[in-house]
Structures are given as structure tokens and as C-alpha cells.
Amino acid sequence: MSDTIIEVSGLGKKFRMWEERADNLKTILIKFAQGNLSLRKKRYFQVLNNISFNIHRGEFVGIMGRNGAGKSTLLKLLCGIYQPSEGFIRVHGTIAPLIELGAGFHPELSGYENIFLNASVLGFGKKDIHKVFDAILEFSELKEYIYMPVKNYSSGMVLRLGFSVASHLTAPILIIDEILTVGDVTFQKKCLKRVHELHQSGKTIILITHDTAAIENHCKRCIVIDHQEKIFDGDAREGAAIYKKSLELSSTP
Amino acid sequence: MMTKFTHFLCDFFCLRKKFLVYNFVDRNLKISYRRSFLGLLWTLLAPFSMGCIYYFFFKKIANIATPHYLPFVLSGSLLWNFFSTSILMGTESIVAHTALLSKLPIPMQVFPLITTITHFVTFLYATPVIAIALWITQVPFSWTMLLFPFYILNLCLMTYGLALLGALGFIYLRDLRQIMQILVQIWFYTTPVLFDAKMIPEKYQWILIINPVGFFFQNLHEILIYGKNPPLYQTVSVLGWTAIILSAAAFCYNKGQKMAVEML
């Protein structure tokens, strides 16, 4: 629990209001004729507000929050897809996002070709793939089918291939978003086992989910986000309880 | 300062994403002909039939005076084809990959670049057709033909710049697809692709100057068909336009690229 690998300080994120956006010529012309084509007066809404936390090397942290609490935005900020509006994020090392399995897969191409496609989308190079290629094949249990087009795979096979690629081409930090809730129970178990192996081998893992049981079982620490802000940071069991409470509060009229 | 600039250039041309670019180009080429009977042969047949139609129509019916018209029209229309499809498809390329861009940290400029390179490779597959046409119509060999690779490299840079500009613009203005289609059509008829630039009357010669690829096609025909080195001002004009377009693209990319993901 020594060195900090991710440092988030005073992080805030605002988005433009969507209904005001004029992205076609007709709307722009109408707005212009009405005289309210406001280029300067932009309205924003806050998605995340003043979030600060540190994550240390080798931690297994869960992030929870209700729908719309800002989990996905936080994740995209961590991955560098969005830029923060306020505050900063410092990441010491590279992040591998396990956000979508099989990103970039093309149905007409074979599993073999798709492994390379998927890996390159995830930001890896030829050498990285060759190092783990056999392990990917083994884990996916698709050796006989690897030269078959992916469109002839069952959805379970596609998931297996996607997860095998994503979980073998890894960076020191892994961000996992909901993907462990797809597939059947056996597949989920296998995935979780693999995630644990990765954690054991010294990776830092951030798990983003609605599933309180998964957090309680796997994480030591958890962060709960609600109403754009961090409401809890600490023991996973306590956090899960707080998250459940926030759900109940919102569901009662 | 210098390192910052080279850093920017690396990003702009996706030099750190070579493997991604390579894989996507490879994918695009594979899937475009995977299920067709003749496969890659189409890349030769399609332009060749197009060239024959142009040849028949302009040479035999409209009786155009240009000598060696078959290689003339083939080289022009093949390059125009590369140029226009890259720009049109490139314009849609970033928005078309919204799903990937909003989930993974991929620099968005790779998609216009991939589109450009894909169509460029398709053009390369078809270059033997030009060579054959030059041979059939017995165009004498000239050392100026060796300039051809530099010309197409220049066109590639310009195409990438325009595709990137279009793609960035398309994020904000969804009418751009239709606008581009009309513009490209007008552009085609104001560019000496099918006809010789000298056929343009004196009072309309300015069109060649304000047309970024106007002199490009004239120069192309001069080095390939006439075996002449084009006058300096024509070359300078083409290089100037390339520089303007690339700087504009670099400027817009630099300004908009960080916020643009949210606008998708």
C-alpha cells in the first residue's frame, strides 16, 4: 500500500446541454433567423463534482453508483477518452480498459484475424500479441474454430474470444466495466478467476459495477458515487451497504 | 519547441498507431472483396471498364483531340476516384466509429487516415492498368514519369488533410455529407481529369488556380503523357495548396480534437 498509481484531485466534468445543440443546417438557419444562435451562451450540466481519491499499486477497488451517477463518465476520464473540466488526473503507468469485449471485431473475418484487429484497437502492437497468442487461444477454447469467420460463432464464443484478448493483453492498471455480468455463470466464474489471477500477479484493478455482491466478494476497498459526488470511500462491505441505502432512498417516492 | 512539433506530427499522422492503421486497412481491403467471385480482380476490371467508356465516349463520339487519350483518361480518373472517395468516405469515418471512439482511447484522426490509405492501396492495385494503357498506346518513355510517385504522395497528403477536415466538420454539422457530395461533383467538372487543361478558355484559366487539384491533374498529364516537366509556378501552386490544406487540418485537429469525442 505504498505508491500511488492513480491520483484524482478535485475532478469535475461538465457537458454541454444537448437539446440546445444545432448540428444541422436547417436548425442553424432557423435559430439564426430567430436571432438566438447563441454561440457564446452555452449551458452546461455537471456530471461529476469535486471527486478526489488515490489508488495504490496492487489495489482492487470497486466503484459503485446508481444509473446516471457518473460512473461511466469517471471511467472515461480515467481512460483519457474525456478531458476533465476541473481538477486533474495523474496516472503513473498505462491503463487497459476492459469496457467492451471484442471491440473492433468484424463478423466477416476469422477469429484469428479478429484477435489482431481487437488487439490493435486496444492499443497493442504485433510483439505484444505474439507473446500471448497461445495463451489467448488456450483460454478461449476456440482452437478448432480460430480460422472460421466470427459471424459463425455463437455469442458465447465471441465473448470468450473478446475476453481472452482483453485479459491477456494487459497493462499495469485494468479498468473493468460491467463486462463480467455478460455471458453465463460458468463464463463469469472463469472471467472472475482470471481477473483474480491478474490481481495476484500485481495488477491494479478497478471494477465498476452495480453488483454489490461482486464488490463485497472481490474488493477490499470501494468508492461510492451519488449525485455527482463521492459519498463514500473505504471498506467494501460498508460501501455496499451505503450504496444499497442510496438506492432505497431514491426508489421511495 | 522542435520536439513538441515532431510530437504533434507523430500524433497528426498517427505514427504511434501504425499497427492499428495497418490492421484496419487490411480489414477494409479484405472485406470489400471477400465474398465476390472475382475478388481483387475487380480493382483492375472496374477502372478499366470505366476508362473504356470514357475513351469511347470522348474519343470516338465527342472526338476530343488529346493524343494518347486512353492512358490520359485512365490516370486521371483513377486518381480522381481515389481522391473523391477518400474525401467522401473520410468525412463520415469519425462519426461512423462513434461506438469505438467513445469506449476506447483511440485518436480519432486514425479513421480518416485509414480511409485514405485504404483507397490509396486500391488505387495502387489498379496502377498496372495505367501502365498497360501507356504501353498499348505507345506513349514514349520519359524520365518525367519517374516523378509520378512524388505526385501521388503529394495527393495523398492533400487527401488526408481534406478527409480529416471533413470528418471533424461532420461531427458538428451533419449536413456536410450532402454538401460534400455536391461539392465533389462540381469539383470533378472544374478539374482537368477527362479533358486537357489547355482546353479551358483563357478567361476561365483562374479556375485552375483556385482549384487545389487543378494544376495537379494538369501536371500529372504533362509528366505521364507529354513527357514534359511542368512549369515551376504550377508545381508551386500544387505544393502551396497542399501546405494550406494540411495546416488548416492540423489547426482544426489541434483545436477540436480534445472536445470532439463528447460531441459525437
Side-chain angles (χ1 to χ4, degrees):
Chain A
M1 286 293 176
S2 53
D3 49 341
T4 307
I5 199 162
I6 296 179
E7 203 182 338
V8 176
S9 170
L11 181 70
K13 183 67 191 169
K14 287 186 245 178
F15 282 118
R16 285 278 300 279
M17 298 291 271
W18 276 92
E19 72 257 39
E20 293 198 344
R21 184 172 164 203
D23 66 352
N24 62 67
L25 215 53
K26 196 182 79 185
T27 322
I28 291 174
L29 287 177
I30 290 173
K31 283 200 167 186
F32 183 71
Q34 288 171 340
N36 62 4
L37 185 71
S38 49
L39 287 171
R40 252 160 251 293
K41 255 196 312 173
K42 292 169 183 168
R43 285 202 299 156
Y44 290 92
F45 64 100
Q46 195 91 24
V47 183
L48 288 174
N49 194 11
N50 195 22
I51 304 236
S52 307
F53 58 84
N54 289 335
I55 291 176
H56 306 283
R57 200 177 298 278
E59 265 191 309
F60 197 140
V61 184
I63 296 182
M64 281 193 288
R66 289 186 285 142
N67 280 341
K71 291 189 306 286
S72 298
T73 307
L74 177 60
L75 173 147
K76 287 180 183 184
L77 284 161
L78 286 175
C79 295
I81 298 169
Y82 291 163
Q83 304 294 319
S85 314
E86 296 142 13
F88 65 85
I89 299 173
R90 253 183 229 136
V91 180
H92 307 280
T94 46
I95 293 185
L98 262 86
I99 305 181
E100 199 181 44
L101 294 182
F105 271 14
H106 195 285
E108 292 279 343
L109 297 178
S110 70
Y112 179 85
E113 289 163 318
N114 270 312
I115 290 178
F116 284 84
L117 205 55
N118 187 203
S120 63
V121 167
L122 294 173
F124 293 93
K126 214 178 204 158
K127 277 183 203 145
D128 304 317
I129 303 170
H130 283 302
K131 250 184 266 168
V132 291
F133 191 81
D134 294 329
I136 292 175
L137 267 194
E138 181 127 352
F139 188 87
S140 67
E141 302 166 14
L142 289 168
K143 219 165 209 157
E144 304 97 278
Y145 310 103
I146 205 67
Y147 294 108
M148 211 165 87
V150 161
K151 65 176 175 186
N152 297 340
Y153 282 23
S154 71
S155 50
M157 288 158 86
V158 177
L159 279 178
R160 265 192 343 246
L161 189 62
F163 185 80
S164 310
V165 176
S167 66
H168 284 85
L169 291 163
T170 54
I173 310 163
L174 262 116
I175 299 187
I176 304 170
D177 181 24
E178 300 286 9
I179 56 167
L180 299 180
T181 57
V182 295
D184 58 14
V185 183
T186 8
F187 177 68
Q188 279 180 29
K189 275 196 183 134
K190 199 175 170 189
C191 292
L192 275 171
K193 209 182 132 218
R194 174 77 191 140
V195 172
H196 266 284
E197 275 171 30
L198 289 168
H199 182 225
Q200 233 77 78
S201 72
K203 313 264 186 213
T204 308
I205 292 172
I206 301 171
L207 178 67
I208 297 179
T209 183
H210 288 292
D211 185 5
T212 45
I215 299 269
E216 283 176 72
N217 290 337
H218 306 294
C219 309
K220 272 214 175 95
R221 176 182 164 202
C222 116
I223 295 169
V224 184
I225 296 169
D226 200 24
H227 290 109
Q228 296 90 44
E229 290 185 38
K230 188 177 86 171
I231 57 168
F232 178 82
D233 185 353
D235 180 67
R237 276 166 205 285
E238 252 178 84
I242 286 174
Y243 168 68
K244 278 181 194 155
K245 220 166 65 210
S246 80
L247 276 181
E248 280 160 21
L249 276 176
S250 67
S251 60
T252 45
Chain B
M1 182 60 207
M2 203 54 214
T3 51
K4 215 176 166 186
F5 183 66
T6 47
H7 199 79
F8 177 77
L9 280 185
C10 269
D11 280 347
F12 187 68
F13 291 107
C14 310
L15 294 181
R16 274 187 226 90
K17 293 281 169 189
K18 277 185 289 230
F19 191 59
L20 176 67
V21 173
Y22 169 79
N23 272 304
F24 264 75
V25 170
D26 191 44
R27 178 198 85 166
N28 289 347
L29 293 171
K30 270 180 188 155
I31 56 180
S32 55
Y33 294 106
R34 174 143 294 195
R35 297 178 85 179
S36 66
F37 179 63
L38 289 175
L40 262 177
L41 209 59
W42 279 117
T43 51
L44 293 177
L45 285 175
F48 189 70
S49 61
M50 192 176 66
C52 288
I53 293 166
Y54 283 140
Y55 178 75
F56 180 75
F57 190 80
F58 283 94
K59 190 75 187 176
K60 300 291 174 197
I61 295 181
N63 228 341
I64 202 166
T66 312
H68 308 298
Y69 189 64
L70 187 63
F72 182 97
V73 77
L74 270 174
S75 60
S77 58
L78 277 175
L79 272 171
W80 177 265
N81 221 10
F82 152 67
F83 180 68
S84 60
T85 30
S86 299
I87 293 174
L88 289 176
M89 310 267 280
T91 297
E92 292 171 42
S93 62
I94 289 180
V95 172
H97 288 92
T98 303
L100 275 184
L101 285 169
S102 61
K103 291 227 168 76
L104 293 165
I106 303 171
M108 55 172 53
Q109 69 277 20
V110 296
F111 293 110
L113 185 69
I114 287 164
T115 313
T116 309
I117 295 179
T118 303
H119 291 105
F120 178 64
V121 175
T122 316
F123 163 77
L124 283 186
Y125 285 151
T127 39
V129 176
I130 303 177
I132 292 167
L134 286 170
W135 179 65
I136 290 175
T137 55
Q138 293 170 324
V139 177
F141 177 80
S142 147
W143 67 270
T144 53
M145 285 180 185
L146 302 176
L147 292 171
F148 187 59
F150 298 102
Y151 274 73
I152 41 181
L153 179 70
N154 183 4
L155 187 70
C156 279
L157 289 174
M158 198 189 281
T159 310
Y160 171 54
L162 287 167
L164 180 57
L165 277 174
L168 290 172
F170 191 51
I171 299 172
Y172 297 92
L173 184 69
R174 299 293 161 103
D175 295 65
L176 205 60
R177 183 207 321 238
Q178 284 80 6
I179 295 173
M180 286 297 240
Q181 273 165 1
I182 296 168
L183 276 182
V184 164
Q185 217 155 65
I186 299 169
W187 204 344
F188 177 64
Y189 287 103
T190 50
T191 305
V193 178
L194 301 179
F195 52 87
D196 197 314
K198 291 187 190 73
M199 289 162 69
I200 301 174
E202 192 71 41
K203 64 173 174 172
Y204 293 123
Q205 282 283 332
W206 53 268
I207 288 176
L208 289 175
I209 300 167
I210 62 156
N211 179 349
V213 289
F215 280 132
F216 173 82
F217 280 93
Q218 189 179 359
N219 294 353
L220 177 83
H221 289 141
E222 278 177 7
I223 60 157
L224 275 188
I225 314 294
Y226 303 125
K228 279 194 300 186
N229 204 8
L232 186 65
Y233 74 94
Q234 291 186 9
T235 312
V236 169
S237 161
V238 172
L239 290 175
W241 270 113
T242 310
I244 290 170
I245 288 167
L246 276 182
S247 335
F251 177 77
C252 293
Y253 155 73
N254 196 23
K255 260 200 114 143
Q257 154 257 358
K258 279 198 167 133
M259 302 310 288
V261 182
E262 295 163 19
M263 300 296 288
L264 281 170

